[in-house]
Amino acid sequence: MRLQKLICLLFLTYLTQGCQTDSETKSEPVISFNKDIRPILTEHCTGCHGGVSKQAGVSFVYQKEAYARGHSGRLTIKPGDPDGSELIARLETQDISLRMPYNAPPLSEEKIQKLKLWIKQGAKWEKHWAFKKPVKTELPAKMGKTGHPIDQFVEHSLQAQNLQMNPRADKYRQLRRLSLDLIGMPPSLAEIEDFISDNTATAYEKQVDRLLASPHFGERWAAMWLDLARYADSQGYTRDEYRASWPYRDWVIKAFNQNLPYDQFVIKQLAGDLLPNKSMQDLIATSFHRQTPVNSEGGTDDEEFRVIAVMDRVATTWQAINGITMECVQCHSHPYDPIEHEEYYQSLAFFNTTRDADRRHDGPHLLIADDKKMQNKAFDWQIRLNELENVALAQTHKLNNSVNDWTKLPIVKALTDDKTALQDEIFGLKKRLETLDPDKQKYPLMYAKRDLKKREAMLAQLNAANYQPEPMQVVNGEFNHKNTFSAKTRLILTTQALEQKQSVSAIKLSALPLNEKKARHTPEFSVSLDHIDIYKVSKNGQAEKLIIKDFMSLQGESIGDQLRRLAEGNNIGAANGLYSHRLFSPIESIAVFAEPVQLTAGESFEVVIKQYQYRNLNEGMPSELHRFRIAVSSDTGLIEYAKSPERSQLITEYQQVSQQLKPVKGTQLPIMQAQDDYNQRGTALFSRGNFLAKQGPLLKPSTPAIFPSLAEQQKVDRLALANWFFQKEQPLTARVAVNHFWQQLFGRGLVSTVGDFGSSGELPSHPELLDYLALTFQNDYQWDIKKLLKLMVMSETYRQSSDASAADIQQDPQNIWLSRAKKRRLTAEMVRDQALLSSELFNPEMFGKPVMPPQPEGIWGRMGRVIKDWQSAEGKNRYRRAIYTFIKRAYIYPSFLTFDMETREISHGKRIATNTPLQALVTLNDPVYVEASNALGGLLQKDYLANKNIEQTLQQAFLKVTSRPPTPDELSELKQTWLALLQTAEQDQTLAFSQIGTLLFNLDSALTR
């Protein structure tokens, strides 16, 4: 009996203890690292203890480092033991020399308690939410009348905040909002009447479908994407010269109108040039990453600004597509996210092997024929030329690798002959003077005479000084001259005499960097050899010029020029193919003789190089050869190939296709084009982001370790990266895309920091909704943009009224929880387009070259070279849609800038709305709005003269501009204003109605949606 009592007592004690523990647990909130702790660390700690700086050996970016020992010797965070954690000790100490945050106000008690409780609960570390794959949760229970998935998520959040969703806006406001959001323009009177009179259940959906099918849909959404693409019609920087970018803008519009799936939309822009069977449209799409600025100012380093452009491409790609601030990793590891410094440069390696190089001509280009009937032919010809170049290059490399007897022939003497170079230049100037017309070419004639006089004086000085060719440095059998010498000179390189009889079929000529290893990532300056002759020199010094049958370049940069010169056939020495804008690897060309050259013992070769600066590779800065090597081969297969029908047909076809393309007039659009596989730049880590101070081994392209790995594939290039963004496991692409579109419709992203989904960005307001939309977009809709937008605009969340009580505004001033629609001012483009549309001045013509609507004189502070100054358009072009307005980076169209359009130097995912008096001055005084007001006034006057009813005229005018009828008070005020204006204008109806037009365009209801 006593035993039974003891057992019962122990059991009751156990139950009591269990209840107490459970009660204590319930009273103690569970702390989430991502929601509660990471924001504290990001705000207060990682600036000194993160990727940039690990003060005292402590970092809070990586779990392993956060749980390790700092310089104090104690564990920074000891899970389960707040008192044993150095973090807590440093936060609570009263010694200000030890207290953290250092030299900053102490952490609030609330935040310290959160940190202590988190550590007590085990300090469970969580991967940042954005780096985890989206999870599609079950829809919350239906709370209202709607079963729309967006509404179910939103209503669930509103209930938690003790808020309620607003009722629907009236039909007028719904249609205005929908029309402006989907096509960027307000509805017409006929469209308003049609919707208001349609009382069917599908009336709203009909309008949605109509607007999604409108050709103006693409124009509206292109405006969003062109901000991300930093699109402009000029190159940027000081000179800010014209760039023919408009075909890319048109491609974006068409892509949205054709509802190109988002994955294809992005892949084509990142790597359309690498797609198999690429089309003209695929190449046009790659101009996305040719929107980077080009610095064509004299004296700038092309390589420096090429690297800046590549870095911009890295930043734009990651921010626009994945919401990652990758530019933060240029100089050090990411301050807040687990992305290492080296990983940035692995990402940069994807973009570091393109042919563009910040050159003034802005190449490479795609020629788009002005004659639309010729566009496909011109494209096919360009593709064929590219194919022939690749065939020639591949065949030459195959042939070169098959030769097993390449033998270095040491150079024993090198001379520079400035006198002969000067004589050749004088001869050329005299020949040119004979061709110049004194009447039509006055200035070229004047400059040529001046240059001739100057050169003849220089020659006289050389003769007077009894000039002789000067010796240059030879090291280890190579020409190797580190010092500068005459930019225009004739180099004579003599090889070692042969020790025995030899037959030579070809000579391989190599121009090399002085430091080959360093040049792979930090290229040396340009090399340009304008002409090469090869001589056989006998024992007694007699030189015999050898007949060269063919030159075969081993590098892609010069292959096209070489094939063209070989086809011309009148100057074989100029077809040597030895030039490069920047020397990052040896450039080589094989000179194949017409017949094997027989040399006896004691005979040698002499290679004569003309470095005359015929090619302007560096905007006037000279190219210089500093290192040169010669090798010979006896393989007769080289001569056989040079004489083969295959080689002859290739050169002939190249000439024929070139001649077909030559007369075609069109637009030269800058596009992306990869370097050939045999000659690609290397990428190394930049020490502290300095492109002149690289360190470590060359890096292979790769993605950061926090993300899923690249899929297995043969080639890791831009196309591989573009496809990787759309792998199923990729956590961010769909989320970021959905957020961009959501922000455009609702005024605020589900993640408000649209370009930063990392630790320093804002947490999503509705995480489950974001993931639901992302996975729906990716899996169910297969990246269908129009389906996604329709899903959003069909929700009650989108259709609700923007009315808000003082209590609602106080509780949720930013409308984070979506209890109402957000009232927003129209974008710069919409403000202009609405004025033109309402005044019936609007020109609906789509696509084509940018136009220049009226703007005040003297805006351009620097004249252009191609387009010298703003030339205000005449006729209908004055009234084209805003998307077609000329965008000059240095001097943005003033009214756009005033209404918060970005300047397009860098990518922008969000325009920061402002409210300034300057905006009113634009809509009151800008020529476009004055003309629109006058035109609208004319329409009102015509209507008034027809119906003699001023209230009806004013009511229709108000409806036309604001998309809703005026209230009785508004109509009364408008009528009284008209009467007052009429009296002031001495009964001049034209002036009074024009001023009414101005008034309407400046109403808050007209400038908002």
Side-chain angles (χ1 to χ4, degrees):
M1 187 70 178
R2 292 178 64 185
L3 180 62
Q4 288 177 332
K5 287 183 178 180
L6 180 60
I7 292 172
C8 288
L9 182 62
L10 289 171
F11 181 67
L12 288 170
T13 303
Y14 171 77
L15 286 177
T16 306
Q17 289 175 341
C19 291
Q20 287 174 345
T21 303
D22 186 57
S23 175
E24 288 171 7
T25 303
K26 285 183 179 178
S27 64
E28 188 178 84
V30 176
I31 301 298
S32 161
F33 177 75
N34 274 339
K35 184 179 178 182
D36 301 307
I37 302 303
R38 191 188 295 273
I40 297 174
L41 298 178
T42 298
E43 181 181 357
H44 299 286
C45 306
T46 50
C48 297
H49 304 285
V52 180
S53 174
K54 298 178 182 179
Q55 297 287 337
V58 175
S59 170
F60 294 105
V61 172
Y62 294 93
Q63 178 182 4
K64 184 178 178 180
E65 294 176 344
Y67 289 2
R69 299 179 191 275
H71 291 173
S72 69
R74 300 184 69 206
L75 292 172
T76 304
I77 296 172
K78 187 176 181 181
D81 186 3
D83 294 336
S85 301
E86 181 71 0
L87 169 63
I88 301 303
R90 289 301 186 99
L91 292 174
E92 292 187 328
T93 181
Q94 298 303 307
D95 186 341
I96 60 172
S97 67
L98 297 175
R99 192 190 66 210
M100 296 292 152
Y102 188 64
N103 279 345
L107 227 60
S108 69
E109 185 60 28
E110 179 188 1
K111 290 179 179 179
I112 292 174
Q113 289 306 314
K114 275 187 180 180
L115 287 164
K116 291 176 73 173
L117 189 53
W118 172 67
I119 294 173
K120 178 184 175 184
Q121 292 174 357
K124 184 180 178 183
W125 194 275
E126 296 173 333
K127 193 175 184 179
H128 180 53
W129 72 269
F131 303 148
K132 294 188 287 188
K133 186 179 176 181
V135 177
K136 200 166 189 176
T137 57
E138 291 292 326
L139 290 174
K142 182 179 174 182
M143 295 182 182
K145 296 179 180 179
T146 175
H148 195 288
I150 290 176
D151 298 331
Q152 289 178 244
F153 281 109
V154 171
E155 287 181 326
H156 183 75
S157 297
L158 287 172
Q159 185 183 52
Q161 300 297 321
N162 198 27
L163 291 167
Q164 287 186 335
M165 190 182 291
N166 264 358
R168 284 183 185 176
D170 63 61
K171 291 184 75 173
Y172 290 104
R173 287 176 172 82
Q174 282 188 61
L175 184 60
R176 177 176 175 81
R177 181 186 303 163
L178 185 68
S179 187
L180 285 165
D181 282 348
L182 291 186
I183 67 169
M185 297 191 296
S188 67
L189 290 175
E191 289 163 351
I192 294 171
E193 183 179 356
D194 179 60
F195 179 54
I196 297 302
S197 62
D198 186 349
N199 294 317
T200 64
T202 58
Y204 180 79
E205 187 173 6
K206 289 177 192 173
Q207 297 298 318
V208 172
D209 292 338
R210 173 183 66 81
L211 293 167
L212 289 173
S214 167
H216 298 306
F217 173 85
E219 293 172 323
R220 181 266 181 271
W221 289 96
M224 173 199 78
W225 189 258
L226 295 182
D227 274 355
L228 289 166
R230 68 276 198 237
Y231 170 87
D233 298 297
S234 66
Q235 295 178 345
Y237 292 117
T238 305
R239 295 180 68 90
D240 204 25
E241 296 289 0
Y242 171 66
R243 173 186 277 163
S245 298
W246 59 267
Y248 168 69
R249 175 248 291 149
D250 288 355
W251 180 88
V252 174
I253 294 170
K254 292 171 184 176
F256 276 114
N257 277 340
Q258 293 163 5
N259 200 23
L260 186 67
Y262 183 72
D263 58 343
Q264 294 304 306
F265 178 72
V266 171
I267 289 169
K268 288 174 186 290
Q269 292 182 78
L270 291 182
D273 58 311
L274 301 178
L275 290 170
N277 304 315
K278 54 184 171 285
S279 68
M280 180 169 67
Q281 297 304 315
D282 293 337
L283 285 183
I284 291 173
T286 68
S287 195
F288 169 75
H289 268 327
R290 291 304 314 282
Q291 300 304 310
T292 47
V294 165
N295 195 342
S296 58
E297 185 177 358
T300 57
D301 182 358
D302 289 346
E303 177 63 10
E304 177 184 1
F305 287 94
R306 183 197 70 81
V307 169
I308 289 171
V310 173
M311 288 182 158
D312 177 84
R313 288 166 193 164
V314 175
T316 297
T317 300
W318 283 99
Q319 192 164 49
I321 299 170
N322 260 198
I324 296 297
T325 54
M326 191 63 87
E327 67 271 27
C328 293
V329 202
Q330 286 178 206
C331 306
H332 42 66
S333 294
H334 201 290
Y336 309 110
D337 296 320
I339 303 174
E340 294 292 336
H341 193 200
E342 183 176 296
E343 290 177 321
Y344 173 84
Y345 290 96
Q346 290 173 325
S347 292
L348 185 136
F350 284 108
F351 299 95
N352 201 32
T353 53
T354 55
R355 289 184 60 183
D356 60 284
D358 195 67
R359 298 182 66 183
R360 181 172 290 185
H361 62 62
D362 212 7
H365 297 107
L366 172 67
L367 174 64
I368 302 172
D370 291 337
D371 183 352
K372 291 185 178 180
K373 294 179 182 178
M374 285 295 297
Q375 285 183 355
N376 288 333
K377 279 187 178 180
F379 172 73
D380 291 341
W381 289 333
Q382 291 172 86
I383 291 295
R384 184 55 184 158
L385 289 176
N386 188 248
E387 289 172 348
L388 291 170
E389 290 169 8
N390 291 335
V391 168
L393 193 60
Q395 187 61 39
T396 302
H397 274 272
K398 181 181 178 182
L399 202 60
N400 177 57
N401 293 333
S402 71
V403 175
N404 55 21
D405 70 340
W406 283 119
T407 305
K408 179 180 177 181
L409 200 55
I411 297 169
V412 294
K413 186 171 70 171
L415 299 174
T416 175
D417 182 1
D418 295 350
K419 181 178 176 180
T420 304
L422 199 54
Q423 289 171 334
D424 288 347
E425 188 176 8
I426 289 170
F427 178 78
L429 282 168
K430 287 179 177 178
K431 293 285 287 183
R432 184 161 185 261
L433 283 170
E434 294 173 4
T435 64
L436 293 173
D437 187 326
D439 297 322
K440 297 180 180 178
Q441 295 172 297
K442 178 181 176 182
Y443 289 106
L445 184 66
M446 180 180 70
Y447 293 137
K449 286 181 177 179
R450 181 196 65 184
D451 290 344
L452 178 60
K453 184 177 180 181
K454 185 178 178 180
R455 299 300 183 273
E456 287 177 333
M458 291 169 64
L459 181 60
Q461 288 178 346
L462 292 179
N463 287 330
N466 194 25
Y467 173 84
Q468 295 296 321
E470 300 174 19
M472 308 283 278
Q473 289 177 318
V474 174
V475 178
N476 296 327
E478 296 179 354
F479 169 70
N480 193 313
H481 194 87
K482 295 181 175 65
N483 301 324
T484 58
F485 54 95
S486 298
K488 295 182 179 181
T489 192
R490 183 172 175 264
L491 295 168
I492 305 160
L493 309 178
T494 305
T495 68
Q496 178 180 295
L498 297 181
E499 295 180 356
Q500 59 185 14
K501 182 180 178 180
Q502 186 175 348
S503 175
V504 175
S505 298
I507 292 184
K508 181 157 64 175
L509 307 170
S510 305
L512 305 97
L514 287 168
N515 186 334
E516 286 187 63
K517 185 177 180 181
K518 182 179 179 181
R520 289 286 290 118
H521 54 68
T522 305
E524 295 177 9
F525 209 62
S526 62
V527 168
S528 181
L529 308 186
D530 299 298
H531 192 279
I532 292 178
D533 286 322
I534 302 175
Y535 295 82
K536 182 176 78 169
V537 182
S538 64
K539 292 179 184 179
N540 61 10
Q542 185 114 11
E544 175 193 349
K545 185 177 178 180
L546 300 174
I547 299 173
I548 299 172
K549 169 62 179 174
D550 200 353
F551 271 107
M552 292 183 285
S553 177
L554 287 157
Q555 53 114 16
E557 184 177 350
S558 63
I559 194 75
D561 176 72
Q562 184 178 73
L563 292 173
R564 179 179 60 80
R565 290 177 184 274
L566 289 170
E568 292 170 354
N570 55 6
N571 190 356
I572 190 76
N576 62 77
L578 288 171
Y579 70 85
S580 180
H581 174 251
R582 286 293 183 275
L583 200 60
F584 49 84
S585 62
I587 57 172
E588 299 180 310
S589 188
I590 302 171
V592 183
F593 298 121
E595 298 295 338
V597 177
Q598 306 300 328
L599 292 94
T600 59
E603 292 185 321
S604 61
F605 284 110
E606 189 175 85
V607 177
V608 178
I609 300 169
K610 293 179 180 179
Q611 180 182 276
Y612 287 0
Q613 309 299 331
Y614 288 156
R615 295 184 187 89
N616 184 15
L617 297 181
N618 300 286
E619 286 82 47
M621 298 171 70
S623 304
E624 292 182 354
L625 178 68
H626 287 282
R627 187 177 168 207
F628 199 78
R629 184 170 61 207
I630 297 173
V632 296
S633 170
S634 301
D635 193 329
T636 55
L638 292 162
I639 295 177
E640 290 172 7
Y641 176 70
K643 291 183 174 181
S644 69
E646 179 186 354
R647 177 68 173 173
S648 177
Q649 287 169 9
L650 188 150
I651 294 171
T652 300
E653 185 181 356
Y654 194 88
Q655 182 186 36
Q656 291 172 345
V657 177
S658 297
Q659 290 301 315
Q660 288 174 308
L661 186 63
K662 190 175 181 179
V664 177
K665 304 295 181 184
T667 296
Q668 295 280 4
L669 173 70
I671 59 168
M672 293 285 273
Q673 189 174 29
Q675 293 176 305
D676 65 84
D677 293 339
Y678 311 100
N679 299 273
Q680 294 195 340
R681 299 181 193 91
T683 301
L685 183 145
F686 294 12
S687 178
R688 298 187 178 184
N690 183 354
F691 90 108
L692 294 176
K694 303 184 180 76
Q695 63 187 43
L698 295 182
L699 301 172
K700 293 181 179 179
S702 186
T703 53
I706 56 171
F707 294 114
S709 300
L710 284 160
E712 289 291 329
Q713 50 211 305
Q714 290 183 334
K715 195 169 185 181
V716 181
D717 56 10
R718 272 185 293 114
L719 181 57
L721 177 67
N723 286 321
W724 173 83
F725 279 117
F726 294 92
Q727 287 179 199
K728 291 288 185 183
E729 299 77 19
Q730 224 287 348
L732 279 167
T733 304
R735 282 170 169 156
V736 171
V738 162
N739 201 54
H740 280 308
F741 290 114
W742 183 278
Q743 177 193 245
Q744 294 293 316
L745 296 177
F746 292 89
R748 186 183 190 276
L750 292 170
V751 176
S752 63
T753 50
V754 292
D756 187 1
F757 273 54
S759 301
S760 59
E762 293 290 329
L763 292 171
S765 57
H766 299 72
E768 294 84 4
L769 172 57
L770 178 62
D771 281 5
Y772 176 88
L773 291 173
L775 292 172
T776 299
F777 186 40
Q778 176 179 321
N779 300 329
D780 301 341
Y781 292 174
Q782 294 294 297
W783 305 102
D784 187 314
I785 294 171
K786 289 188 177 182
K787 273 189 178 180
L788 176 68
L789 291 174
K790 183 172 181 179
L791 177 70
M792 291 179 180
V793 300
M794 288 298 294
S795 68
E796 292 298 323
T797 304
Y798 176 78
R799 298 173 69 180
Q800 63 184 323
S801 164
S802 61
D803 295 340
S805 66
D808 288 344
I809 293 174
Q810 183 176 7
Q811 183 175 350
D812 186 13
Q814 299 300 318
N815 195 29
I816 293 171
W817 303 110
L818 301 168
S819 63
R820 58 190 183 274
K822 187 169 183 177
K823 186 177 180 181
R824 289 181 286 140
R825 199 200 57 225
L826 306 187
T827 65
E829 296 93 335
M830 290 177 188
V831 173
R832 171 187 161 82
D833 292 341
Q834 175 179 255
L836 294 177
L837 200 66
S838 301
S839 60
E840 299 184 14
L841 291 175
F842 181 72
N843 175 8
E845 180 184 347
M846 296 180 68
F847 311 125
K849 295 180 180 179
V851 296
M852 295 182 174
Q855 74 170 15
E857 292 184 7
I859 295 294
W860 284 14
R862 180 188 178 95
M863 295 297 179
R865 183 165 55 93
V866 179
I867 297 179
K868 296 189 180 300
D869 203 351
W870 189 275
Q871 300 294 324
S872 292
E874 298 296 334
K876 291 184 177 180
N877 275 343
R878 293 168 73 87
Y879 311 118
R880 292 283 302 279
R881 191 162 185 186
I883 194 77
Y884 302 109
T885 300
F886 190 95
I887 301 298
K888 187 174 176 71
R889 281 188 166 107
Y891 310 105
I892 293 288
Y893 188 56
S895 73
F896 288 178
L897 196 60
T898 305
F899 278 99
D900 306 321
M901 184 176 180
E902 299 296 345
T903 55
R904 302 276 175 84
E905 281 99 347
I906 59 173
S907 176
H908 290 279
K910 183 178 182 179
R911 295 185 187 181
I912 307 301
T914 63
N915 192 0
T916 75
L918 288 175
Q919 291 161 353
L921 291 175
V922 167
T923 50
L924 287 167
N925 300 295
D926 186 283
V928 171
Y929 297 98
V930 172
E931 290 182 35
S933 298
N934 291 339
L936 179 59
L939 295 173
L940 300 184
Q941 185 177 19
K942 182 179 178 181
D943 182 70
Y944 176 62
L945 291 174
N947 61 36
K948 301 298 182 183
N949 186 330
I950 189 60
E951 288 191 356
Q952 181 181 326
T953 296
L954 295 176
Q955 189 169 23
Q956 284 293 95
F958 192 96
L959 179 63
K960 194 172 193 178
V961 175
T962 68
S963 311
R964 67 172 177 83
T967 64
D969 287 345
E970 288 170 334
L971 182 59
S972 174
E973 186 71 25
L974 200 56
K975 181 179 178 181
Q976 294 303 315
T977 302
W978 181 78
L979 291 171
L981 288 170
L982 194 63
Q983 185 176 358
T984 304
E986 298 179 352
Q987 304 304 310
D988 184 342
Q989 284 189 1
T990 302
L991 180 57
F993 277 118
S994 175
Q995 290 176 318
I996 287 293
T998 300
L999 185 152
L1000 290 171
F1001 287 143
N1002 282 273
L1003 291 175
D1004 181 67
S1005 295
L1007 295 171
T1008 57
R1009 43 72 74 213

